[in-house]
Amino acid sequence: MHETAFRRAFREVSAREEVRARRLGTDAIIDLVIETTQPPDFGVEYETAVVMVGRLRRERYDYREETRPRRLFWLDMLRRVDRLMAPPYNLRLCAAVQKVLAYQRPSKWYMSKAAAHRLIRADSVLK
């Protein structure tokens, strides 16, 4: 589950010598985790991905100003699927989504700081 992977990434980044030497706070470490590490996979069901990417392909809004993490997550997947649907690959939507889910990882963690704080807080409560 991504919650576990995020917590592990947070602990690993927190333990880095340069992070400890700078005595970074939780917010700064969360920023580092989100920007410098990747989740193990996209973590969504195939059917959900096909529906969402298909919808985004039909809508084609201008997303240049988008900042919402969940929307950015789907845009990351859309770009990857679009690449596989274009020459030289020319895959159909379902096959392209399947390949992205099976062989690629998101470029970064797509979550808000509030969600990251909840995960970290839950991790410290569990210990």
Side-chain angles (χ1 to χ4, degrees):
M1 194 59 153
H2 284 164
E3 291 86 8
T4 304
F6 185 81
R7 289 180 188 127
R8 186 178 323 111
F10 182 86
R11 285 191 301 272
E12 289 170 2
V13 169
S14 297
R16 289 181 188 163
E17 191 173 317
E18 69 273 10
V19 171
R20 290 178 46 214
R22 292 173 49 199
R23 297 178 187 227
L24 296 177
T26 303
D27 278 348
I29 296 171
I30 286 173
D31 288 342
L32 275 173
V33 172
I34 289 173
E35 296 301 325
T36 64
T37 66
Q38 293 177 284
D41 55 47
F42 277 92
V44 295
E45 297 290 326
Y46 167 77
E47 293 82 9
T48 303
V50 168
V51 169
M52 290 300 295
V53 171
R55 184 179 302 153
L56 288 172
R57 286 180 58 78
R58 284 189 305 277
E59 291 173 356
R60 291 297 176 180
Y61 293 122
D62 182 4
Y63 294 109
R64 286 180 288 193
E65 303 297 320
E66 188 60 60
T67 59
R68 293 172 291 186
R70 198 71 189 151
R71 183 63 79 143
L72 293 170
F73 168 85
W74 288 112
L75 292 172
D76 186 1
M77 183 175 284
L78 173 65
R79 280 190 291 277
R80 293 160 188 269
V81 168
D82 280 349
R83 214 170 297 127
L84 292 173
M85 291 179 73
Y89 308 106
N90 298 318
L91 296 178
R92 293 184 174 264
L93 175 66
C94 292
V97 168
Q98 189 175 32
K99 287 224 182 274
V100 169
L101 291 176
Y103 300 110
Q104 297 185 26
R105 297 167 64 180
S107 55
K108 66 178 204 150
W109 292 95
Y110 291 102
M111 68 173 60
S112 67
K113 269 193 182 178
H117 273 283
R118 282 191 300 274
L119 288 174
I120 300 309
R121 209 172 15 251
D123 191 38
S124 62
V125 169
L126 295 174
K127 289 183 178 183

